[in-house]
Amino acid sequence: VESLGGAFARTCAMRGTAAALIDGERRLAFAEWDRLSAAAADGLGGLGVGAGDVVAYQLPNWWEATVLFLAAARRGAVVNPVLPIFRARELAFILRQSGARVLVVPGTYRDCDYPAMVADLRAELPALRHVLVARAAPPVGTGALDSLWAHPAANASAAVEVDPSTPLMLMYTSGTTAAAKGVLHTHDTLLAEVRSLRRVHALTPGDRTLMPSPLTHISGVVHAILTPAVVGTSAVLMDRWGAAAALQTIARERVTYMVGAPTFLQDLVAQAEEVDGDTTSLRLFSCGGAPVSAALIRRARARLGCVAKRVYGSTEFPTITCTDAADAAEMGAETEGRAIAPGEVRIADARGRAVPAGAAGEVQARGPECCVGYADATLNGEAFTSDGWFRTGDLGHLDARGYLRITGRIKEIVIRKGEKFSLRELEDAIAAHPAVAEVAVIALPDAATGERVCAVVVLRGGATLTVAELSAGLAAAGLARQKHPEQLERVDALPRTDSGKLHRAALVRRFSPAS
């Protein structure tokens, strides 16, 4: 057993001058990544960060995030990646619960002044001692991120001794409750994830990934930080997705594989169908995070000339099922694949009993890459069975050979461009609008994003409301723009079941595009 720092030291010894990270014109070799992260680990120590302390970052896909991640890991600290789309409401909750001592943010990025947003929250965050700003002049009360590695570490190649069973990462996911859930991963769980993917994807140091998924999302962390650090692959970072730019980057950088949500694959295929780009280096696109159609997988195989396949996982259990080189062509389009050994998958009925092949029920999984629980331990009882199975909340069935097919969700969430948002959280926010008497939020299929948010509202007497007005109100309340409804429907009354519960399925049937 070893910590991430130990694995990283071995990789750097073998891959020293090779490119580890490519961020625009900035190319970071493994040796430089090692040197910077060691210096930054010392810098964090100078800020009083010790074992178990939380270091949060809310950064775009910039190389600085990868240095900070390894620095915190070498320090024995817990890394808390926060999605850049989150605004005051989400950020305040996460930082309060995590107790982060250090937060790293950009300056003004995509019309958000991050230091100003954090400044407004500082009074309610007593644990937050230091705010560091990347790629911008730090305002009063903050520091410059690059000051962390301004002075060389005493021994830049030395790995910090860390118990690999201790927490390494705290990542928040919106899940099924109104508040985000903080998922705890250890060095052990994340290293098990990387090593299982190395086998199933046949990854070698010669592989290079293109990463448009955020470095604050499980896919970005696993494939653009952890896999390079452990396996010695390279990562090309994109901080703004564009299919045309992606196609050019694949050709220029000789990208060999990608992992991401269906929206990335769909855009890439559409662009490749319009422009004759060079994708000969691309051998694999593993697609998950939202429902993936077999038709999209087949289009990708035909146009990109690579192995395209489905994958199934979550922040809690990053990769539950997948196909490998031997069965991807046959089963990778129609199924989510099989459990990656030594992981296991079972289907359980409403009473928690395992059901036979072909029978539907809740998908449950267990294995060494599963998280160790939540920051709020009261959530663990519902998420895990007494015998250690993680309850995904998804519905599906296994065939006789163990291939999984997802058929629906118990959880009431919307998955938009691979990001999961709680319907209840959105309903709570919309219900606070003065024009709204009642609201139900539903997820509707969308060709571009996978799913879109539709708010079905009963308005107060005499009130009017447009999508733009609702979005403005939610923005003023601090809700991330990506969560705002794209569709607004007005009804006289919300449908109810005989027991008085909201009949959400009836609304989905009524307002789905096919209806």
Side-chain angles (χ1 to χ4, degrees):
V1 294
E2 63 182 347
S3 67
L4 175 59
F8 182 54
R10 286 192 298 99
T11 300
C12 291
M14 293 185 295
R15 298 279 287 157
T17 59
L21 302 155
I22 300 163
D23 177 4
E25 298 300 315
R26 186 73 154 94
R27 304 178 82 88
L28 214 65
F30 281 92
E32 188 176 9
W33 193 11
D34 181 31
R35 177 183 63 79
L36 289 172
S37 64
D42 279 3
L44 288 173
L47 298 181
V49 173
D53 288 334
V54 175
V55 176
Y57 68 83
Q58 191 179 24
L59 290 174
N61 279 17
W62 294 348
W63 63 266
E64 290 90 340
T66 74
V67 170
L68 189 67
F69 196 105
L70 266 295
R74 298 175 81 145
R75 191 76 202 156
V78 181
V79 191
N80 178 200
V82 181
L83 286 167
I85 64 172
F86 285 169
R87 294 296 179 258
R89 175 174 171 164
E90 298 99 340
L91 183 62
F93 172 83
I94 289 170
L95 296 179
R96 274 197 306 269
Q97 188 178 84
S98 72
R101 292 175 62 89
V102 176
L103 171 65
V104 180
V105 295
T108 299
Y109 179 78
R110 294 197 182 183
D111 300 324
C112 179
D113 185 335
Y114 287 85
M117 176 174 65
V118 176
D120 290 341
L121 301 175
R122 288 293 290 271
E124 54 185 288
L125 301 171
L128 185 61
R129 303 293 179 83
H130 303 280
V131 177
L132 304 178
V133 180
R135 301 191 183 184
V140 175
T142 68
L145 173 60
D146 55 14
S147 67
L148 277 187
W149 49 79
H151 304 290
N155 184 359
S157 63
V160 174
E161 291 295 328
V162 177
D163 181 351
S165 67
T166 57
L168 167 59
M169 183 177 74
L170 173 60
M171 179 174 282
Y172 281 79
T173 180
S174 288
T176 59
T177 57
K181 298 185 295 184
V183 179
L184 282 166
H185 275 284
T186 67
H187 294 253
D188 282 336
T189 65
L190 291 175
L191 288 176
E193 164 70 6
V194 172
R195 287 163 180 156
S196 71
L197 291 178
R198 177 169 55 189
R199 296 193 307 271
V200 77
H201 292 326
L203 298 175
T204 73
D207 277 305
R208 176 168 288 180
T209 189
L210 176 62
M211 185 49 64
S213 294
L215 296 184
T216 50
H217 186 281
I218 192 66
S219 294
V221 166
V222 167
H223 289 279
I225 300 179
L226 298 177
T227 303
V230 176
V231 180
T233 58
S234 304
V236 184
L237 307 179
M238 289 188 77
D239 72 344
R240 186 182 293 270
W241 170 249
L247 203 60
Q248 293 168 2
T249 302
I250 289 169
R252 183 180 67 251
E253 299 293 347
R254 307 308 293 164
V255 169
T256 64
Y257 86 104
M258 290 182 67
V259 176
T263 185
F264 296 129
L265 182 58
Q266 180 173 290
D267 291 352
L268 195 62
V269 170
Q271 180 67 25
E273 289 172 343
E274 290 184 11
V275 179
D276 188 21
D278 180 5
T279 59
T280 54
S281 64
L282 191 67
R283 67 175 184 84
L284 170 67
F285 197 116
S286 192
C287 193
V292 186
S293 73
L296 175 58
I297 295 295
R298 294 193 180 98
R299 278 179 65 203
R301 291 174 178 176
R303 187 61 192 86
L304 301 178
C306 68
V307 174
K309 61 184 182 180
R310 284 151 64 165
V311 64
Y312 172 65
S314 65
T315 303
E316 291 90 342
F317 202 131
T319 311
I320 297 174
T321 62
C322 192
T323 51
D324 59 22
D327 61 352
E330 178 191 2
M331 305 301 293
E334 300 288 348
T335 78
E336 274 64 46
R338 293 185 288 188
I340 305 172
E344 305 170 86
V345 172
R346 74 178 184 185
I347 306 298
D349 63 19
R351 297 176 63 181
R353 300 171 301 186
V355 299
E362 182 185 36
V363 181
Q364 299 182 354
R366 67 180 177 187
E369 54 268 82
C370 186
C371 73
V372 294
Y374 296 102
D376 180 357
T378 63
L379 301 173
N380 293 338
E382 183 180 350
F384 295 91
T385 66
S386 59
D387 52 348
W389 292 84
F390 171 60
R391 301 185 60 195
T392 68
D394 292 318
L395 298 171
H397 60 84
L398 293 168
D399 67 16
R401 294 190 293 167
Y403 289 92
L404 175 67
R405 288 173 172 82
I406 299 297
T407 57
R409 293 197 301 272
I410 298 172
K411 300 178 178 181
E412 293 182 340
I413 56 177
V414 58
I415 306 180
R416 185 181 184 277
K417 293 186 176 181
E419 296 295 341
K420 298 178 181 179
F421 304 127
S422 162
L423 299 187
R424 179 180 163 190
E425 177 192 20
L426 303 182
E427 286 172 348
D428 288 348
I430 295 169
H433 194 285
V436 175
E438 287 186 279
V439 59
V441 174
I442 54 176
L444 298 180
D446 188 284
T449 61
E451 289 181 335
R452 67 176 179 272
V453 179
C454 174
V456 183
V457 298
V458 178
L459 297 179
R460 298 187 183 279
T464 61
L465 187 64
T466 65
V467 171
E469 290 167 345
L470 177 58
S471 185
L474 294 174
L479 194 72
R481 185 179 305 166
Q482 283 77 359
K483 297 181 181 181
H484 296 190
E486 295 128 305
Q487 182 174 339
L488 179 65
E489 302 290 347
R490 288 165 288 276
V491 296
D492 294 331
L494 296 176
R496 304 282 178 183
T497 64
D498 291 341
S499 62
K501 294 182 179 179
L502 174 68
H503 200 327
R504 202 182 300 271
L507 291 173
V508 172
R509 288 194 298 269
R510 177 176 173 182
F511 295 112
S512 287
S515 62

